[in-house]
Amino acid sequence: MPVPESGAEPQTAAQTRFDHTLARDQRIEPRDWMPEGYRATLVRQIAQHAHSEIIGMQPEGEWITRAPSLRRKAILFAKVQDEAGHGLYLYSAAETLGADRADLTERLISGRQKYSSIFNYPTLSYADVGVIGWFVDGAAICNQVPLCRSSYGPYARAMVRICKEESFHQRQGYELLLTMMRGSEKQRAQVQDAVDRWWWPSLMMFGPPDGNSPNSERSMAWRIKRHSNDELRQRFVDMTVPQAERLGVTLPDPELVWNEEREVWDFGTPDWSELQRVISGDGPCNQARVERRRQAHEDGAWVREAAAAHAARQQDRQAAQDQQAAQDRQTAQTAQLKGVPA
Ligand code: FAQ
């Protein structure tokens, strides 16, 4: 739990220590004093991130039963399970800031907290599974590798493991697409169609342009975010263009052109009004995603109750064992004092 702002020592000293920790590029840990705005920003970002991982299980999860072979099913199963794990590390990181996991879930299903816009688009063909791995996990890596150096310790450490797994996910997506591109004409067309549909939403994952990103400045000053939304978007485009060439697909942007001077790929402007619509709940699948999450949460109530009952029983058993052990020790000590052999 964070030390409250109104701790025993004067706030100015605590604030100075906090500022020095950031200036030395060291980590803030849960036991450290932190400004309330820093804590709230972290809870907001980490919760949104956790929700994204959990909601993000749905678009690909829909293809587990329809994946074309046992091998592809096993791979997809493992990937979707990984996303659940990422969500859990992130909820745990939010808990170190005093957030309550049940409350965060409630905020998600009542529409009071956001999750990534990207998961509000439908997965229309199996090629979408590959393109999600390639684009969405690729974008997640660009965004999240710098977060491994985020100033808040538990978040940064969670990111290290998550990034390793995302990197594997990205490669499996690209490998799936390479296989499909070596297949039939129909398969190649499916890949191109999926690329066309997911390209722009993937660029939007990085958030609004820098001039319209109200949280960036403060988050960067606090070293929660290390790069701006536009910097990371550019990094993603530069990484992806040569991969698209190798794969043999066309990215759906006529303005995509190599800029000799800046040594980056120039690209067109995403439809920012679409991002705003999707973020505010009016994307193609928003309602279905949240409804499914709500249903899963309700269906899982008995599991939570059973787990809590089991934990309570274990605790009672442990307490009884501890009490018995204490009594045994007491009896042995008394016997020793009386000179009775044990
Ligand atoms: N979708 O001022 P900014 C994944 C909101 S995980 C929805 O720029 P900030 C793994 C933003 O929250 C993907 N909302 O905000 C996977 C803010 O709203 P608020 C998730 C968005 O925080 C792969 C408002 O707009 N990754 O893919 C989006 O400085 C495959 C103004 O924006 C993370 O969460 C959006 N795209 O920057 C799983 C990474 N963009 O809260 C399954 C960590 C912006 O003020 C399958 N998060 N908004 O009401 C971040 O890096 C940042 O939070 C950003 C946004 C960059 C997302």
Side-chain angles (χ1 to χ4, degrees):
M1 294 283 287
V3 178
E5 284 191 64
S6 53
E9 59 187 319
Q11 183 173 323
T12 46
Q15 176 77 54
T16 306
R17 200 160 49 242
F18 174 84
D19 293 342
H20 281 168
T21 305
L22 291 189
R24 287 197 301 270
D25 219 359
Q26 288 173 343
R27 298 265 163 81
I28 305 294
E29 295 296 340
R31 63 175 178 272
D32 297 333
W33 180 90
M34 60 189 84
E36 183 50 30
Y38 177 82
R39 194 192 70 81
T41 296
L42 277 166
V43 170
R44 178 186 66 80
Q45 178 165 326
I46 297 173
Q48 285 180 10
H49 196 166
H51 298 330
S52 303
E53 299 281 357
I54 298 297
I55 296 273
M57 296 164 73
Q58 292 185 33
E60 290 167 287
E62 287 171 5
W63 281 90
I64 291 175
T65 54
R66 293 178 284 169
S69 68
L70 186 57
R71 176 172 172 267
R72 292 291 177 193
K73 274 193 217 305
I75 292 172
L76 190 50
F77 228 136
K79 179 180 191 284
V80 172
Q81 238 172 4
D82 284 351
E83 311 300 356
H86 298 172
L88 298 186
Y89 311 149
L90 289 163
Y91 284 128
S92 298
E95 282 175 327
T96 67
L97 292 155
D100 175 72
R101 191 181 301 203
D103 175 56
L104 297 181
T105 302
E106 188 49 44
R107 284 169 189 265
L108 167 69
I109 57 188
S110 60
R112 282 176 295 149
Q113 268 180 351
K114 298 185 170 80
Y115 58 91
S116 181
S117 51
I118 193 71
F119 302 116
N120 290 305
Y121 292 85
T123 38
L124 303 181
S125 84
Y126 182 62
D128 290 33
V129 169
V131 171
I132 288 178
W134 177 31
F135 283 172
V136 178
D137 285 281
I141 292 166
C142 281
N143 173 267
Q144 288 167 205
V145 166
L147 291 176
C148 298
R149 292 186 297 112
S150 180
S151 59
Y152 187 58
Y155 189 34
R157 288 189 287 276
M159 278 302 127
V160 173
R161 176 151 178 198
I162 291 177
C163 284
K164 283 183 184 160
E165 291 180 352
E166 302 291 27
S167 165
F168 177 69
H169 294 170
Q170 197 234 7
R171 285 175 214 186
Q172 71 77 35
Y174 195 69
E175 187 268 346
L176 189 163
L177 297 175
L178 280 171
T179 307
M180 286 187 80
M181 291 301 282
R182 284 196 294 267
S184 65
E185 200 50 56
K186 191 172 165 200
Q187 284 174 306
R188 277 191 287 279
Q190 273 185 347
V191 174
Q192 183 60 59
D193 174 59
V195 165
D196 291 345
R197 284 181 290 106
W198 288 91
W199 175 248
W200 292 107
S202 299
L203 293 190
M204 293 175 200
M205 271 180 81
F206 293 92
D210 290 352
N212 195 20
S213 164
N215 300 299
S216 277
E217 196 180 328
R218 232 158 53 127
S219 283
M220 286 172 71
W222 276 327
R223 303 195 177 194
I224 295 171
K225 277 168 85 160
R226 292 290 181 148
H227 302 281
S228 77
N229 298 354
D230 285 337
E231 280 167 6
L232 294 173
R233 197 172 358 256
Q234 180 71 60
R235 214 177 263 192
F236 173 71
V237 171
D238 292 344
M239 176 182 97
T240 309
V241 170
Q243 293 170 349
E245 279 169 8
R246 227 164 299 140
L247 191 61
V249 294
T250 308
L251 297 173
D253 180 359
E255 293 177 51
L256 197 59
V257 59
W258 178 248
N259 184 321
E260 286 287 353
E261 204 179 310
R262 295 196 307 128
E263 298 196 332
V264 293
W265 287 89
D266 286 338
F267 55 97
T269 307
D271 179 352
W272 297 123
S273 63
E274 177 178 321
L275 176 65
Q276 283 315 319
R277 267 200 315 279
V278 177
I279 289 181
S280 54
D282 196 20
C285 301
N286 294 58
Q287 275 190 354
R289 299 290 187 238
V290 173
E291 175 52 26
R292 182 135 182 235
R293 179 70 195 98
R294 192 190 57 75
Q295 191 66 51
H297 187 62
E298 282 174 14
D299 291 349
W302 70 271
V303 180
R304 291 190 296 280
E305 278 163 26
H310 177 71
R313 203 175 308 154
Q314 293 286 94
Q315 215 172 11
D316 288 351
R317 236 177 247 163
Q318 189 61 48
Q321 276 174 8
D322 291 348
Q323 202 179 5
Q324 185 62 48
Q327 266 174 12
D328 290 350
R329 268 197 308 277
Q330 182 78 43
T331 312
Q333 270 172 4
T334 314
Q336 212 173 20
L337 284 174
K338 287 183 180 165
V340 180

